[in-house]
Amino acid sequence: MKECMIVLSLTVPFPITGAYAHANSFTKLFVFGDSYVDTGNRNFTASSWNEPYGITYPGRPAGHFSDGHVFSEYFASWMGIKSPTPYRFREIRPIEYGMNFAYGGTGVFETLVAAPNMTIQIGLFEQLLEEKLYTEDDLKSSIALVSVSGNDYNAYIARGESLLGLPAFIVSVVKQLGLDLQRIHDLGVPKVVVMGIQPLGCLPEFTKEYSYEKCNETGNLAALFHNLLLTTVVEELKLENGESEFVMLDMYDAFMSAMKKHEDETGTSELKNTLRPCCTGITSEDSCGDVENGEKKYNVCIDPKMAFFWDSFHPTQAGWHAIYSVLKSSIANLFRTELWGSF
């Protein structure tokens, strides 16, 4: 986390640096979670700050776990605002569009990464509210975006826990996530959007044992169980708080649809392997971004914009754009608007 060449025939968006109009009534975004939405909170020892991360945008490492933009930036664009400033840069960058509290590698519980988990992230948000950094009026026009993409489960397996106990652990993860969603709402954010989990078994980390030719069924079943439980939790939150207060994004189907579209568009080309990542370690012990004695221990495909997956766990910017393209109409419907932002 062999070099690859994958064709992805879609238009990659222009950099998120231009002028923005507030496309609707939501003017602030508060982001919580992990690497699928983190835009720079991890410290400089994280792989997201190493080459070749950021090679597509902004052309250098910028703290994103991809070659360019990640999902939270696309969601901000749908809102018609700039991507919110990462928490660690709150004193040197504008905070008018909200704030990003997400830390790559984290989960609702403690994981293998020494960074703030979901509970602590929400605590950081609460502290800023106590400091009056954002007012009640600010919050009235805000949305929270929450990502839990599987780091809790990766940590569970890495610690040698039994697969037989995984279903019960998934129940505990989703239960805690539900408490976190309610807490964010209770702090004054009127709309809370939670991302369902993607098809875990289709991530390159779990398809490499099949030479990137097929997905791991066990991983996908775990993801489906997570999403089933989360759907129930979100419905309960709607009953308790209001039908329009909570939204769940179907990341599983969005990933599957985007990957199928990629496979169809590449046809019979030898470059059609959607599951093969663009950036991989030279050996099984190496990962994307690793350097040893000044020597790169990874390979990067010829053009990341043509690949769906960037590394062992994360889509490329082109992959995220494809996923967003699948989701944007459903997002608009969920929020009863057809304004999708500037991408």
Side-chain angles (χ1 to χ4, degrees), residues 78 327-340:
W78 168 79
L327 282 170
K328 63 182 181 181
S329 60
S330 62
I331 295 173
N333 290 334
L334 287 167
F335 284 88
R336 295 179 175 84
T337 176
E338 294 182 353
L339 297 171
W340 296 345

Side-chain angles (χ1 to χ4, degrees), residues 19 21 33 47 51 67 94 116 119 127 147 169 195 247 287:
S47 61
E51 294 181 349
D67 64 310
T119 298
Q127 181 179 343
S147 171
F169 183 64
M195 296 162 59
V247 172
S287 299

Side-chain angles (χ1 to χ4, degrees), residues 316-327:
T316 57
Q317 173 174 286
W320 277 125
H321 183 254
I323 293 162
Y324 168 73
S325 296
V326 173
L327 282 170

Side-chain angles (χ1 to χ4, degrees), residues 34-329:
D34 50 38
S35 56
Y36 278 12
V37 292
D38 180 4
T39 54
N41 276 317
R42 286 287 301 277
N43 61 38
F44 295 123
T45 64
S47 61
S48 57
W49 291 103
N50 296 339
E51 294 181 349
Y53 288 80
I55 192 172
T56 299
Y57 179 81
R60 55 177 172 75
H64 299 193
F65 287 84
S66 183
D67 64 310
H69 299 307
V70 295
F71 185 74
S72 54
E73 294 171 289
Y74 288 95
F75 194 89
S77 175
W78 168 79
M79 292 174 62
I81 64 173
K82 291 184 179 179
S83 180
T85 290
Y87 174 79
R88 69 177 301 196
F89 298 122
R90 66 193 182 282
E91 295 182 356
I92 59 174
R93 295 184 187 175
I95 59 169
E96 62 184 293
Y97 299 107
M99 195 167 293
N100 189 320
F101 299 90
Y103 284 78
T106 64
V108 299
F109 299 128
E110 294 303 314
T111 61
L112 305 179
V113 172
N117 64 17
M118 185 77 70
T119 298
I120 297 174
Q121 292 175 27
I122 299 171
L124 296 175
F125 176 49
E126 185 172 16
Q127 181 179 343
L128 294 186
L129 296 182
E130 292 172 354
E131 295 171 359
K132 307 298 183 184
L133 198 63
Y134 296 103
T135 67
E136 288 186 14
D137 284 341
D138 288 332
L139 295 182
K140 287 178 182 177
S141 61
S142 71
I143 296 175
L145 177 65
V146 181
S147 171
V148 174
S149 62
N151 292 314
D152 292 287
Y153 306 136
N154 292 335
Y156 179 89
I157 299 301
R159 290 169 180 148
E161 301 289 349
S162 168
L163 279 177
L164 293 176
L166 182 57
F169 183 64
I170 294 174
V171 170
S172 66
V173 168
V174 175
K175 180 180 179 181
Q176 180 59 49
L177 177 55
L179 295 174
D180 292 334
L181 299 176
Q182 182 67 65
R183 183 181 172 198
I184 293 169
H185 184 267
D186 289 345
L187 288 172
V189 180
K191 290 192 178 292
V192 181
V193 179
V194 59
M195 296 162 59
I197 209 164
Q198 73 284 0
L200 293 173
C202 294
L203 300 181
E205 177 67 16
F206 306 109
T207 62
K208 62 184 178 184
E209 64 178 308
Y210 309 117
S211 300
Y212 305 111
E213 293 293 337
K214 66 176 184 177
C215 300
N216 179 290
E217 185 177 340
T218 301
N220 282 356
L221 286 174
L224 288 169
F225 183 52
H226 171 105
N227 289 335
L228 178 65
L229 296 175
L230 183 57
T231 299
T232 300
V233 166
V234 170
E235 290 304 313
E236 290 173 350
L237 289 170
K238 288 180 178 180
L239 287 174
E240 295 169 4
N241 299 275
E243 182 66 27
S244 64
E245 306 295 288
F246 293 87
V247 172
M248 178 178 168
L249 299 183
D250 189 349
M251 304 304 292
Y252 191 101
D253 280 358
F255 266 72
M256 285 299 200
S257 296
M259 289 190 294
K260 179 64 165 61
K261 185 171 186 285
H262 166 261
E263 186 175 332
D264 291 344
E265 288 175 344
T266 53
T268 58
S269 167
E270 63 179 354
L271 312 178
K272 68 178 290 182
N273 194 339
T274 304
L275 302 177
R276 182 180 295 277
C278 175
C279 182
T280 58
I282 292 176
T283 72
S284 60
E285 302 299 316
D286 302 318
S287 299
C288 180
D290 284 354
V291 176
E292 184 178 305
N293 298 322
E295 180 183 355
K296 295 179 180 178
K297 306 295 287 185
Y298 59 87
N299 290 319
V300 179
C301 61
I302 292 176
D303 186 357
K305 293 189 292 292
M306 300 163 67
F308 187 88
F309 281 110
W310 169 242
D311 60 16
S312 292
F313 295 98
H314 309 98
T316 57
Q317 173 174 286
W320 277 125
H321 183 254
I323 293 162
Y324 168 73
S325 296
V326 173
L327 282 170
K328 63 182 181 181
S329 60

